[in-house]
Amino acid sequence: MSQRIVVDPITRIEGHLRIEAQMNGAKIEKAWSSGTMVRGIEIILKGCDPRDAWAFAQRICGVCTLVHGIASVRAVENALNYSVPANAQLIRNLMIGAQYIHDHVMHFYHLHALDWVDVVSALDADPKATSELAQSISRWPKSSPGYFSEMKTRLKNFVEAGQLGIFAKAYWGHPAYKLPAEANLMAVSHYLEALGWQRDVARLHTIFGGKNPHPNFLVGGVPCPIDLESDSALNAERLAKVQNIIEQMQLFVDQVYVPDTLAIAGFYKDWASRGEGLGNFLTVGDFPESGMDDPASYLIPSGAILNRNLDTIHAVDLNAPDQVQEFINHSWYDYSEGKDKGLHPYEGETELHYTGPEPPYEHLEVDQSYSWLKAPRWKGHAMEVGPLARVLMLYASGHEQTRALVDMTLKTLELPLEALFSTLGRTAARTLETKIVADNMQVWYDHLIANIRSGETRSFNETLWEPSSWPSQARGVGFMEAPRGALAHWIVIENEKIANYQAVVPSTWNAGPRDPSGQPGAYEAALQDNHDLYDPEQPVEILRTIHSFDPCIACAVHVTDPNGKELVQVKIT
């Protein structure tokens, strides 16, 4: 029997995402991903002062805070050939790294874990057995029988009061949940602990950038002067707080996040053979040791992997007109030269044109335009970006720590290397890169302290600040590896103002629709890869794979909109 399942909105993400899945019996045969709201930040930026662009662009999203600000200032700096002091680069690395660690831990516990963890089942757990389980995998101090007994009582009070709150509207009791009650209680306890942890570690952004979300940035450097004796600058006390935050991050990652991921994954090894889809992966590179103009110093290298082939890394050139292009054949936009043409972002256009069914509607018109997302392609290939792409790129590049972590994970789970190409592999990759970034936080901090001790305190280069020093025309690309994947902003400057601005965003790469040749986007291809639904009325399998990408549809359509509602609506026709 053929039927169409509609999940709208997908919850526990940022933004508004609709998934439609055409079923062939219990198996997903075809899937379509649609971003259903839009507001054109790219249009708003035209005519603005390039030095102010980061403040507008950063409002693309509040969850992905910082990343669009960084990409924007880098775009202006690239266009003007504007160099950045070493201290500023290190501070940016620390801020980006903090965003990774905060974002990935929050995603695992508060957005994705509930696809694998049955909260209500935790009520059947034995606190003593839970303690033994927790202590067998980690030295985390909050692991006593008394602690888990207290957490169980808190959860029991939630349930008996009929006020599950943050745990409401889920599929508790679904047969797809496989964890024993003790593992569920341990994971729920760490869910609650992570709420307090994330509040504390977000302070790193406030120290360097003044606030969180949306910390402040500056073309040519960072907005925090360095003076160890000043109360109004980055001083010794504030630097000591940064060190403390880094230690908090590393401790939680090492003793909670990594062990929990391995423990939970052990019960879901069947998900190591479903949910890949494309087999093509893209990174733009980030975390430079000596500046964005020295790709050899990047912690995360740039490149493309095609057809799972880890033996060949293809070079990526974001300025080449035939490499990155955006297509709109199935998007609610128009191009001046027609909907079948792909445009490089320097020539990109943002002309909104909704041609879909009048809401409320039963189904998308999938043979026509069906999304507010464009379809980015690299040399014509649909690509996946994000943690899995980065871990594969590091592994293929011979990065020693990555190889050790991946090999340890696969050995622990008794899985082959091919298991990385999956929903489970994508989730594990996010955990492993969090460990890599957390360890490098200390390296960047130590280099910053060494610079300051040597007397080098510059954090801003004023040389090209005044527009009178700029050429009449310039263009550039600012790129970074955002937590969700490869991000780039392209800017065209004419007569000191922005003439064109285009952003190609991680979730646009992953959640975008089909292109003129019929290639699906990463979400669509992943759902079409070996997905059987136990109960179409409760499609937890769809949520598992979509959440493994950590969608941000606000970013993908460049919309500033509140978080998605906590009610999953499923329609079957």
Side-chain angles (χ1 to χ4, degrees):
M1 176 183 176
S2 178
Q3 59 184 6
R4 180 82 64 88
I5 293 176
V6 179
V7 186
D8 182 16
I10 296 284
T11 60
R12 285 184 273 124
I13 68 169
E14 164 55 56
H16 299 263
L17 175 65
R18 178 185 178 101
I19 294 293
E20 296 194 7
Q22 187 68 37
M23 306 301 297
N24 184 357
K27 184 178 289 294
I28 295 178
E29 189 172 60
K30 283 190 175 181
W32 297 270
S33 166
S34 175
T36 57
M37 295 188 72
V38 69
R39 186 165 72 88
I41 294 289
E42 296 164 331
I43 300 171
I44 295 171
L45 280 165
K46 288 186 177 182
C48 291
D49 187 323
R51 297 170 299 180
D52 296 336
W54 69 267
F56 291 89
Q58 193 164 221
R59 269 65 181 180
I60 286 172
C61 181
V63 171
C64 302
T65 188
L66 172 143
V67 300
H68 293 287
I70 287 282
S72 185
V73 296
R74 284 178 173 174
V76 178
E77 290 162 356
N78 180 255
L80 301 176
N81 196 24
Y82 200 152
S83 63
V84 175
N87 288 335
Q89 187 58 67
L90 289 167
I91 289 171
R92 289 181 183 181
N93 281 357
L94 287 166
M95 294 181 74
I96 297 167
Q99 180 67 19
Y100 265 68
I101 298 162
H102 180 278
D103 195 89
H104 285 350
V105 170
M106 290 288 288
H107 171 260
F108 180 77
Y109 287 101
H110 304 137
L111 304 180
H112 194 24
L114 301 186
D115 299 329
W116 316 97
V117 175
D118 188 333
V119 172
V120 176
S121 162
L123 294 176
D124 297 326
D126 175 6
K128 184 176 183 296
T130 305
S131 174
E132 292 170 353
L133 169 64
Q135 293 182 38
S136 73
I137 64 173
S138 170
R139 294 180 291 108
W140 185 244
K142 295 182 179 180
S143 298
S144 69
Y147 176 75
F148 287 116
S149 178
E150 178 186 341
M151 299 302 289
K152 180 178 176 180
T153 299
R154 288 177 63 185
L155 181 60
K156 183 172 181 288
N157 291 338
F158 278 136
V159 173
E160 290 181 349
Q163 297 178 349
L164 275 171
I166 54 178
F167 301 129
K169 306 295 184 183
Y171 302 143
W172 313 134
H174 193 292
Y177 286 108
K178 298 181 179 180
L179 293 183
E182 287 72 25
N184 284 318
L185 178 57
M186 179 181 71
V188 172
S189 300
H190 293 161
Y191 175 114
L192 296 173
E193 287 178 46
L195 289 172
W197 172 91
Q198 62 87 23
R199 177 195 60 223
D200 293 336
V201 301
R203 290 182 298 136
L204 187 143
H205 283 180
T206 70
I207 292 171
F208 289 130
K211 58 192 179 77
N212 176 282
H214 303 315
N216 293 300
F217 289 105
L218 183 66
V219 172
V222 290
C224 51
I226 299 172
D227 185 341
L228 297 183
E229 305 301 325
S230 173
D231 289 337
S232 58
L234 186 58
N235 57 29
E237 180 184 0
R238 293 187 174 109
L239 285 167
K241 289 181 179 178
V242 171
Q243 176 65 78
N244 180 261
I245 292 169
I246 292 172
E247 291 170 359
Q248 284 183 265
M249 289 177 170
Q250 291 174 331
L251 189 65
F252 197 88
V253 170
D254 288 346
Q255 296 191 14
V256 183
Y257 184 21
V258 172
D260 279 0
T261 300
L262 293 174
I264 293 171
F267 291 92
Y268 292 102
K269 291 195 286 187
D270 54 320
W271 280 86
S273 60
R274 67 181 79 173
E276 178 204 4
L278 292 175
N280 301 327
F281 304 91
L282 176 75
T283 61
V284 294
D286 207 346
F287 297 116
E289 182 68 26
S290 56
M292 293 301 293
D293 58 351
D294 183 14
S297 75
Y298 294 1
L299 170 62
I300 299 171
S302 168
I305 293 170
L306 298 177
N307 301 316
R308 291 188 175 190
N309 183 3
L310 301 185
D311 294 327
T312 302
I313 298 175
H314 302 268
V316 172
D317 183 352
L318 298 178
N319 288 299
D322 63 340
Q323 291 207 11
V324 176
Q325 295 180 331
E326 287 191 297
F327 293 87
I328 59 164
N329 182 261
H330 287 287
S331 307
W332 291 311
Y333 298 92
D334 282 334
Y335 282 167
S336 57
E337 296 187 32
K339 288 180 73 71
D340 289 335
K341 182 178 176 62
L343 294 180
H344 184 274
Y346 280 137
E347 284 72 47
E349 301 174 9
T350 308
E351 294 294 331
L352 312 181
H353 185 196
Y354 182 75
T355 57
E358 181 178 347
Y361 50 84
E362 187 173 21
H363 292 139
L364 297 164
E365 296 173 343
V366 295
D367 293 332
Q368 303 176 44
S369 297
Y370 62 86
S371 179
W372 283 115
L373 280 68
K374 296 179 181 180
R377 296 293 182 263
W378 179 78
K379 288 190 172 182
H381 298 282
M383 309 294 288
E384 176 177 334
V385 302
L388 178 55
R390 289 189 290 260
V391 167
L392 290 172
M393 195 64 63
L394 286 163
Y395 193 93
S397 301
H399 186 256
E400 187 174 334
Q401 185 185 17
T402 301
R403 281 185 168 267
L405 286 170
V406 169
D407 292 346
M408 175 276 294
T409 300
L410 295 175
K411 182 179 180 180
T412 300
L413 297 176
E414 299 179 328
L415 291 171
L417 183 63
E418 292 73 25
L420 290 174
F421 304 101
S422 66
T423 296
L424 188 66
R426 192 175 296 115
T427 301
R430 182 174 289 105
T431 303
L432 300 185
E433 80 163 1
T434 307
K435 164 67 173 169
I436 294 166
V437 172
D439 287 350
N440 277 276
M441 291 287 284
Q442 190 63 55
V443 176
W444 300 320
Y445 177 83
D446 289 344
H447 288 175
L448 177 63
I449 295 300
N451 286 350
I452 295 171
R453 285 176 176 168
S454 71
E456 176 54 67
T457 59
R458 287 195 316 142
S459 61
F460 171 61
N461 176 9
E462 72 283 355
T463 307
L464 295 176
W465 178 253
E466 292 299 330
S468 58
S469 64
W470 303 351
S472 60
Q473 293 185 323
R475 67 181 190 177
V477 56
F479 56 89
M480 70 165 301
E481 286 292 335
R484 288 166 176 82
L487 167 66
H489 289 204
W490 284 260
I491 190 170
V492 178
I493 302 171
E494 294 180 359
N495 300 318
E496 304 176 5
K497 301 295 182 183
I498 297 174
N500 196 14
Y501 200 100
Q502 294 288 313
V504 181
V505 179
S507 291
T508 314
W509 283 102
N510 289 335
R514 284 163 170 77
D515 60 24
S517 64
Q519 291 184 102
Y523 290 7
E524 297 173 332
L527 287 174
Q528 293 169 184
D529 179 20
N530 192 26
H531 276 66
D532 290 309
L533 304 189
Y534 180 87
D535 179 3
E537 296 283 351
Q538 295 187 329
V540 68
E541 298 88 353
I542 290 177
L543 296 182
R544 284 176 175 174
T545 289
I546 294 299
H547 284 154
S548 75
F549 289 93
D550 191 9
C552 185
I553 308 305
C555 285
V557 298
H558 319 329
V559 53
T560 52
D561 193 81
N563 290 336
K565 298 175 183 177
E566 276 300 312
L567 174 63
V568 178
Q569 298 178 356
V570 181
K571 293 168 59 179
I572 304 173
T573 59

